Amino acid sequence: MSRHLLIETQGPWAGRECASFVRDAAALAGGGHRTQLLLLQEGVLGAVPGVLPELDGYLAADGDLLVDRYSVAQRGLKQEQLVAGSRLVDMDEIAGNVLDAAVKVVWH
C-alpha cells in the first residue's frame, strides 16, 4: 500500500475544511494506507482534546498523528495538553517525509 502525509496548517477555526481534511486522512488510514497526519502552524490547535473530534476517527483507523513541536511551543502548549496518541515531531523528520519520493504529500 502507498504512504501518505497529510499536512494541516490552518486549524479548526479556519472553517469546515480542516475537519473534512482529517476525515479524508481517516478514510485513507481505514483503507489500509500508511497515513500520517501532521498538524503544523495553526493546525496544532486541533490537537487540544475536544477541539477537533474528527481526530478520534483518524486515530481509531490507526492513523499516525504528528504534531509540530515548534508550533506547539509557539502557542504555549505542552505535550500533556494534546490528545492521547499524538506525537511531537521536529522539522528534520517532517522534511525527511516530504522529500521521500515514496510518500504522497497533501498540504492544506
Side-chain angles (χ1 to χ4, degrees), residues 46-50 55-60 63-67 78-88:
V48 174
L55 287 178
D56 294 339
Y58 174 71
L59 291 168
D64 188 16
L65 179 58
L66 311 176
V67 184
K78 298 178 182 167
Q79 171 76 51
E80 304 83 47
Q81 296 173 288
L82 305 179
V83 295
S86 63
R87 180 169 61 93
L88 290 179

Side-chain angles (χ1 to χ4, degrees), residues 13-87:
W13 291 280
R16 294 179 302 201
E17 292 81 14
C18 177
S20 178
F21 194 67
V22 174
R23 285 192 299 272
D24 290 345
L28 283 169
H33 300 276
R34 184 172 165 216
T35 306
Q36 293 181 312
L37 174 62
L38 170 65
L39 302 179
L40 180 68
Q41 298 170 337
E42 294 304 316
V44 301
L45 298 173
V48 174
V51 171
L52 190 56
E54 291 78 8
L55 287 178
D56 294 339
Y58 174 71
L59 291 168
D62 290 326
D64 188 16
L65 179 58
L66 311 176
V67 184
D68 177 53
R69 183 182 315 275
Y70 179 79
S71 297
V72 165
Q74 285 283 304
R75 285 147 185 87
L77 296 170
K78 298 178 182 167
Q79 171 76 51
E80 304 83 47
Q81 296 173 288
L82 305 179
V83 295
S86 63
R87 180 169 61 93

